[in-house]
Amino acid sequence: MEKKFTVTRTSKSLVPPSSSSPTPAATEDDAPVPVIMRLSTIDRVPGLRHLVLSLHAFDGHGVVAGEDDEERIRWPARVVREALGKALVDYYPFAGRFVVDEEGEVGVKCSGEGAWFVEAKAECSLEEARHLDGNPMEMVIPKEDLLPEPIPGVDPLDIPLIMQVTEFTCGGFVVGLISVHTIADGLGAGQFINAVADYARGLPKPRVSPVWARDLVPDPPKMPAPPPKLELLDLRHFTVDLSPDHIAKVKSQYFASTGHRCSAFDVVVAVTWQSRTRALRLAGAGYDDVHVCFFANTRHLMLHGGAGAAGFYGNCFYPVRATCGSAEVASADVAGVVKVVRDAKARLAGDVARWAVGGFEQDPYELTFTYDSLFVSDWTRLGFLEADYGWGPPAHVVPFSYHPFMAVAVIGAPPKPKLGSRVMTMCVEEDHLPEFRDQMNAFAFTAGK
């Protein structure tokens, strides 16, 4: 039986902004009253009111410090806690609370109460914990021990951010993050975490200045939502790594057949979608059409190059959906499936423009979740892999973007120094897992040959 290691939480507290001067407040009877900041149309999508969980492991080997820093680098939790307070001055909505007005719309009350912060210690080294590698549902240290416990008496969906820093005996540490998707998309959350890291490294201000500007996001006429359908699925976890050689071979095949280039993301989506489709067909799941959905950054389309758009940290994405006959997806070469994915991406600008004027019969943000659909989330370009608190970038980032009603594949990176793409899935039920695993492994084994 594999040894389990103990984690002890040593401190729990709210971290308010280290200065309250920028936090907006109205005045009523000569007393400050917190301002409630309006969220954008996308922020207020009901499906985004959920928690996003992730673990970020830092082995500490990349630290460069002078004599004055020797004491500082021994206490990563203290360093991150202090930096968080500074970052909350710039990103003051993260220190507030979500509230619902009389019309049922969610906003952010800029109360300055702070983010919940937990300090903890593990009784082992990160190496003994395998840098959190392996099945994220069965780690040597359970994820529940490395993620912060909620604030007693506070609904977890009312506080934008809670964080835990767990120090290991080797000098490394793990940052456990829980945030509410309503306040930021992946790029926005990554931008905020990099601001904390900038302060932790001693910078006088974040490299990217934050921009709220939720009014820049289009506010189209309300469209009908599809009938809600949340069918609970008994999904199984499977992870596989695709090397750069695997991906490069498909990119070359695609270029040879079309004369156009494709990205590593396109290849990983195509391989995963095709492997899953083949597994469903071979196991007798008779779907005429299958779908894949992913979420494209639309800052360049929705914010129209507005001043400060580069620092925008709200939700600014559009769901891209590709639909194809299951027989076609299953029988094509991978480059052919890449073309289906890229054709869907090519429609992005037109679809966003149409959505902005209410041109769809149903709201495209109100998604339906059925077993014939695969949802893909890409964590490689959000900024988390570059966040450096002074100990170098993370050796490993483990996202937990899984829901029991949603067949999901998360694209990340394997632990350093390994290169390539890690595909972490909970997208098939037990009957379809063996064939899905074989299909993914067959690509991983043969693509580089």
Side-chain angles (χ1 to χ4, degrees):
M1 184 175 178
E2 192 170 42
K3 182 178 180 181
K4 300 292 184 180
F5 297 100
T6 300
V7 171
T8 303
R9 294 182 174 93
T10 58
S11 173
K12 304 174 186 178
S13 61
L14 285 168
V15 177
S18 57
S19 168
S20 61
S21 56
T23 302
T27 302
E28 187 174 295
D29 297 329
D30 296 326
V33 178
V35 165
I36 296 177
M37 301 185 71
R38 186 177 184 273
L39 293 163
S40 75
T41 302
I42 304 176
D43 293 332
R44 299 195 310 271
V45 169
L48 292 184
R49 195 81 187 275
H50 71 262
L51 302 177
V52 181
L53 289 63
S54 59
L55 298 174
H56 309 248
F58 297 81
D59 59 22
H61 297 161
V63 66
V64 178
E67 291 184 5
D68 293 341
D69 289 329
E70 288 183 3
E71 184 69 16
R72 184 189 76 88
I73 66 175
R74 290 171 53 197
W75 310 108
R78 296 183 189 177
V79 171
V80 176
R81 187 186 193 282
E82 180 180 351
L84 174 62
K86 293 178 179 178
L88 289 175
V89 176
D90 305 282
Y91 291 83
Y92 51 83
F94 274 97
R97 298 293 182 267
F98 291 111
V99 292
V100 181
D101 65 17
E102 294 178 353
E103 277 129 28
E105 287 197 356
V106 180
V108 180
K109 182 178 181 181
C110 295
S111 59
E113 294 170 74
W116 184 240
F117 189 84
V118 179
E119 298 182 30
K121 292 188 180 296
E123 64 171 15
C124 64
S125 67
L126 268 175
E127 184 174 359
E128 289 176 298
R130 300 203 304 265
H131 290 88
L132 313 184
D133 197 9
N135 184 340
M137 302 302 167
E138 299 175 359
M139 295 189 302
V140 176
I141 300 178
K143 72 178 189 300
E144 291 79 10
D145 291 348
L146 298 172
L147 291 166
E149 294 178 324
I151 306 177
V154 176
D155 186 334
L157 291 174
D158 286 345
I159 180 168
L161 177 82
I162 60 178
M163 177 185 291
Q164 176 172 315
V165 176
T166 304
E167 299 173 345
F168 286 71
T169 58
C170 58
F173 60 100
V174 169
V175 177
L177 294 175
I178 300 179
S179 62
V180 180
H181 208 313
T182 299
I183 201 168
D185 60 13
L187 283 169
Q191 180 180 310
F192 171 72
I193 291 304
N194 272 276
V196 178
D198 289 345
Y199 279 121
R201 291 201 315 281
L203 297 185
K205 63 178 183 178
R207 290 168 296 161
V208 178
S209 297
V211 173
W212 181 259
R214 307 299 164 107
D215 58 315
L216 292 179
V217 177
D219 190 6
K222 190 167 182 61
M223 289 166 268
K229 185 175 182 180
L230 293 179
E231 176 186 354
L232 293 182
L233 304 171
D234 189 15
L235 301 170
R236 294 291 183 262
H237 185 273
F238 173 67
T239 293
V240 65
D241 293 333
L242 307 181
S243 79
D245 289 342
H246 301 160
I247 294 167
K249 183 175 181 180
V250 177
K251 291 169 76 172
S252 296
Q253 291 171 343
Y254 182 78
F255 184 79
S257 63
T258 67
H260 298 287
R261 302 189 184 279
C262 66
S263 67
F265 170 82
D266 300 330
V267 174
V268 175
V269 172
V271 169
T272 308
W273 188 28
Q274 183 179 66
S275 296
R276 183 178 189 272
T277 300
R278 287 175 172 174
L280 267 59
R281 285 179 64 82
L282 289 170
Y287 295 109
D288 293 331
D289 290 330
V290 287
H291 320 276
V292 65
C293 182
F294 46 90
F295 308 94
N297 171 33
T298 52
R299 283 159 173 77
H300 62 299
L301 297 172
M302 292 187 182
L303 306 184
H304 306 297
F312 184 85
Y313 62 95
N315 287 285
C316 197
F317 65 87
Y318 188 86
V320 176
R321 182 181 174 94
T323 297
C324 195
S326 62
E328 185 179 346
V329 173
S331 61
D333 59 15
V334 179
V337 184
V338 168
K339 185 177 186 307
V340 177
V341 172
R342 289 195 60 80
D343 286 348
K345 291 170 68 174
R347 297 193 296 267
L348 176 63
D351 285 350
V352 168
R354 184 179 171 190
W355 165 79
V357 296
F360 287 98
E361 292 183 4
Q362 291 189 331
D363 188 345
Y365 286 90
E366 297 291 347
L367 303 172
T368 54
F369 305 100
T370 50
Y371 195 51
D372 55 3
S373 298
L374 172 68
F375 292 83
V376 181
S377 177
D378 183 6
W379 277 61
T380 62
R381 301 180 184 180
L382 304 181
F384 294 117
L385 294 172
E386 294 76 46
D388 180 0
Y389 297 93
W391 286 261
H396 194 199
V397 174
V398 186
F400 298 94
S401 298
Y402 309 114
H403 308 279
F405 52 83
M406 190 176 183
V408 173
V410 180
I411 304 173
K416 294 180 179 178
K418 192 173 183 180
L419 301 176
S421 296
R422 170 160 289 188
V423 189
M424 297 161 279
T425 70
M426 284 191 71
C427 69
V428 292
E429 296 186 327
E430 183 68 40
D431 290 347
H432 305 134
L433 178 60
E435 187 61 39
F436 176 66
R437 182 174 53 224
D438 290 347
Q439 290 286 335
M440 292 293 290
N441 284 334
F443 174 82
F445 179 73
T446 62
K449 292 186 178 296

